[in-house]
Amino acid sequence: MEAYKRIFVIVLDSLGIGAMPDAERFGDKGVDTFGHILDTMGTLDIPNLKKLGMLNLHKGGKMEGVENPIGRYLRIGETSNGKDTMTGHWEMMGINTTKPFKTFTETGFPQELIGELEKRCGKRVIGNKSASGTEIIEELGEEEINTGAMIVYTSADSVLQICGNEETFDLANLYRCCEIARELTLKDEWRVGRVIARPYIGKKKGEFKRTSNRHDYALKPSNATALNALKDAGYDVIGVGKINDIFCGEGITKTYHSESSLHGMEQTVDICKEDFHGLCFVNLVDFDALWGHRRNPEGYGREIEKFDKGLGKLMETMREDDLVILTADHGNDPTYTGTDHTREYVPFIAYAKQMKEGGKLPNQDTFAIIGATIAENFGVQMPEGTIGTSILKELV
C-alpha cells in the first residue's frame, strides 16, 4: 500500500549545511554554505523553510528554529568520492561514484584533446582556461564572431563548455560540436562529467547575453537507478530543470526545461495541479550557477527568499497524499576562496499534509536514502548494485 501517490524531490542546487569530516581532503576546510549566508545576511525572509524545520536543522546569523516544526528533517552526508552535480544527483538515486570526474581548472584541457576537437569541428579553439561564462564571452566574443573560432572553457566543476553566438555559430552547429566533445571526453584521461553548449546573442562587448538554449551532454549513469525502476514499473518520472540532462534521459518519462529557478518552481506548482502517479524530480540551478560560483552570498540569500515564496505556493497546492522532499547535491559556499563546489552535508527536509508529526530524524551517511525511500513507497525493487536504505516509515 503506497503511503504517497506523488513524491516531489526538489534539489536546491549547492545549498550545503556544513563541512563533512573529509572536507579538508577536497580543499574545503570550514565551509558552510547556508550557515555563512545567514552569517552574512543576518536574517532571511523564509517563513516556509523555517516552519518546516530548516533552522532547527542548521542555525546561523540571527535566526533560530521554531518550537514545533511541521517537517521531518535530518542531515545527510555524501558517500561518493566527489562534490559535483552529477555525483550528487546520481547518489540520490542509488549510485556510489568511487572514481571522481576529471577537472581541468588549473591547466585547461590538454593540447591533444584541443587538437582533435579543432580537427573534427573544423574550428579553431580560443580560450581553453577556467573562467566565468559571462566574462569569457565579454573577453572573446568579438574574436569568435569575427574569426569563426569557438570559445572553449572549463570551470571549477568537471565540465567542458563551448560558447556559440546564435547569429554566427548556429545552434545546430554548436550542438554538433558539443556532441563531438562529448564523444572525445569519454576517454578516461579526459573524462568530464558534462559537456555544455552555452549559446549567446549580441554583436559586441557590453551587448552579449547568454540565452536559455543551453544544453548539457552528460555521461550516462554508471548503473540503473531508482528512476529506471520507477519507469520500468509504469510510474511517471517527471524531470524539471537539469534532471533530464544529468541522467541522460535514463528513467525519465517527461521533462521540462526551466529558464530559471523561479521558473522551475512555477513549473513544479503547475505539475502539482495536474494528475500523475509517481515522482517529480526538480533541480533549481540558480543558487549554484548565479550566486555560489560567483561568490555572492547576498544574491544567494535573496534567491533562497524567492524560493521560499514558491515553496509556499507548492505547499498550498499539495494534495493529502503528496510528499515533498527538499535537499541539495553538494555545497558551494559563497564566502569561501575560489569558485569551486564545496564538500558539505546537505539537508533532507520532508513534508506532507498527512504527516503525523514533524521533528528531527537521525542523520544519515548517504544521499541514497532518497531513492531507496521513493522505491519503497511505490513498491519497486532498487536495481542491483545500488546503495541506500529507505526511511519511509519515519515520513508517514
Side-chain angles (χ1 to χ4, degrees):
M1 186 84 177
E2 293 174 1
Y4 300 104
K5 181 181 178 183
R6 310 189 305 178
I7 297 179
F8 296 79
V9 174
I10 302 175
V11 181
L12 284 68
D13 199 308
S14 83
L15 190 65
I17 54 170
M20 285 186 59
D22 63 356
E24 194 166 0
R25 179 168 67 86
F26 290 82
D28 296 332
K29 185 178 180 180
V31 293
D32 184 354
T33 299
F34 185 59
H36 289 156
I37 290 167
L38 288 175
D39 290 343
T40 300
M41 303 290 286
T43 60
L44 291 174
D45 183 17
I46 50 172
N48 296 300
L49 282 169
K50 189 171 181 178
K51 68 185 180 183
L52 290 179
M54 182 67 175
L55 291 160
N56 297 73
L57 178 62
H58 198 65
K59 300 174 185 177
K62 300 175 182 177
M63 301 192 75
E64 296 286 337
V66 297
E67 188 171 341
N68 295 303
I70 61 173
R72 306 306 305 264
Y73 56 88
L74 62 139
R75 185 178 70 176
I76 49 179
E78 186 166 14
T79 295
S80 297
N81 185 17
K83 55 177 181 176
D84 61 88
T85 298
M86 286 172 56
T87 299
H89 283 78
W90 288 7
E91 182 169 320
M92 289 176 206
M93 294 300 128
I95 294 177
N96 178 12
T97 301
T98 57
K99 188 176 182 180
F101 298 112
K102 298 284 187 181
T103 57
F104 297 91
T105 312
E106 303 299 327
T107 60
F109 298 104
Q111 194 51 50
E112 184 184 356
L113 169 56
I114 293 298
E116 190 64 23
L117 189 61
E118 289 178 326
K119 177 182 174 184
R120 293 187 54 182
C121 293
K123 283 182 169 287
R124 179 173 63 91
V125 166
I126 55 177
N128 190 25
K129 60 183 179 181
S130 177
S132 152
T134 51
E135 289 174 2
I136 204 164
I137 291 169
E138 281 297 297
E139 177 189 349
L140 298 174
E142 289 183 0
E143 181 180 349
E144 182 194 76
I145 292 167
N146 294 332
T147 67
M150 67 178 179
I151 302 168
V152 174
Y153 70 107
T154 188
S155 69
D157 206 353
S158 179
V159 292
L160 183 154
Q161 305 188 74
I162 303 179
C163 299
N165 187 288
E166 291 196 8
E167 295 160 296
T168 59
F169 185 169
D170 68 273
L171 274 175
N173 197 21
L174 174 61
Y175 294 161
R176 178 187 69 87
C177 292
C178 287
E179 288 165 6
I180 291 168
R182 176 70 280 174
E183 181 188 340
L184 291 173
T185 53
L186 292 176
K187 286 187 175 182
D188 272 353
E189 63 266 33
W190 301 336
R191 184 174 178 259
V192 296
R194 285 174 295 157
V195 172
I196 306 176
R198 290 285 197 175
Y200 66 98
I201 55 174
K203 292 181 170 59
K204 61 182 181 181
K205 286 182 182 180
E207 294 181 355
F208 296 133
K209 184 179 179 182
R210 294 201 293 196
T211 74
S212 61
N213 290 318
R214 163 183 169 157
H215 189 69
D216 291 39
Y217 299 81
L219 289 173
K220 283 193 174 183
S222 55
N223 197 89
T225 70
L227 305 183
N228 299 100
L230 290 169
K231 181 180 178 180
D232 291 348
Y235 291 98
D236 297 308
V237 183
I238 301 169
V240 177
K242 296 196 305 180
I243 297 299
N244 192 66
D245 290 332
I246 291 167
F247 288 89
C248 274
E250 293 285 312
I252 307 293
T253 62
K254 191 172 185 179
T255 183
Y256 292 85
H257 170 75
S258 303
E259 295 182 0
S260 66
S261 290
L262 186 65
H263 183 219
M265 277 306 291
E266 290 170 351
Q267 291 171 309
T268 304
V269 172
D270 288 341
I271 292 165
C272 191
K273 295 174 182 176
E274 300 172 0
D275 285 324
F276 73 92
H277 189 188
L279 172 66
C280 178
F281 195 4
V282 182
N283 174 275
L284 305 176
V285 73
D286 287 352
F287 303 99
D288 187 53
L290 295 185
W291 314 117
H293 285 302
R294 297 180 188 179
R295 294 302 186 246
N296 185 334
E298 293 85 3
Y300 205 133
R302 299 298 171 227
E303 193 72 44
I304 296 171
E305 292 179 331
K306 291 178 191 175
F307 165 75
D308 193 88
K309 289 184 173 63
L311 175 60
K313 292 176 183 175
L314 179 63
M315 291 169 68
E316 290 172 6
T317 309
M318 287 171 65
R319 301 172 184 176
E320 288 294 323
D321 54 358
D322 288 343
L323 174 69
V324 169
I325 296 171
L326 308 178
T327 191
D329 51 344
H330 50 72
N332 199 345
D333 188 339
T335 70
Y336 202 59
T337 56
T339 60
D340 198 358
H341 294 154
T342 44
R343 175 80 167 175
E344 297 186 49
Y345 290 106
V346 302
F348 177 104
I349 301 175
Y351 170 72
K353 290 182 176 180
Q354 69 181 39
M355 221 176 245
K356 294 184 181 71
E357 61 180 355
K360 183 168 173 52
L361 296 172
N363 294 331
Q364 301 285 332
D365 61 4
T366 175
F367 300 174
I369 64 166
I370 296 172
T373 298
I374 295 166
E376 184 185 2
N377 179 78
F378 292 110
V380 300
Q381 282 289 115
M382 285 291 288
E384 187 177 348
T386 53
I387 62 170
T389 303
S390 171
I391 60 166
L392 181 65
K393 66 181 185 296
E394 309 290 348
L395 306 180
V396 293

